[in-house]
Each structure stands twice: as structure tokens, then as C-alpha cells.
Amino acid sequence: MAQQDVLIQVKVSTDLEARHVQKALQTIANNFKAQELVSISKKIELPLVKLKIKSMI
């Protein structure tokens, strides 16, 4: 499978926060396949799913 960089924009306050966000998103990307990420993005919009995730952090 070909690898491709995907750029996203996230509002951050500092360079340190930007590095932390980048590392966090890379960790998520490393643990899921591309199709799984698409599925997660669709499910995270559901209020109960979003609430469950927020309650775990």
C-alpha cells in the first residue's frame, strides 16, 4: 500500500502543543488502518460515541 502524507489543520496555542497534537494524531494513525480511520470519523459525530470518548479522557 502506498503511503501518502495527509495534512490537517488544528488550532493550537504554542509550538509545544502543536508537537503534542502531531504526536497524538500520528499514534492514532499508526494504530488503525485508513478505512478504520474513516469509520471512526463517521462514528465520532454520534453524540453518545463522542460523550463516551470524552468520559474516558
Side-chain angles (χ1 to χ4, degrees), residues 2 4-5 11 18 20 23 34-35 39:
Q4 186 173 350
D5 288 339
K11 291 182 182 181
H20 285 230
K23 185 174 181 178
Q35 193 56 43
S39 179

Side-chain angles (χ1 to χ4, degrees), residues 16-57:
L16 179 61
E17 186 178 28
R19 288 192 298 273
H20 285 230
V21 169
Q22 183 179 18
K23 185 174 181 178
L25 292 172
Q26 187 62 55
T27 299
I28 293 168
N30 290 344
N31 283 282
F32 294 97
K33 297 176 183 173
Q35 193 56 43
E36 291 172 324
L37 291 171
V38 171
S39 179
I40 290 167
S41 74
K42 290 178 182 175
K43 291 181 190 269
I44 203 166
E45 293 301 320
L46 299 171
L48 290 177
V49 173
K50 194 178 216 177
L51 183 62
K52 179 66 176 177
I53 293 169
K54 286 188 175 198
S55 73
M56 293 187 318
I57 53 177

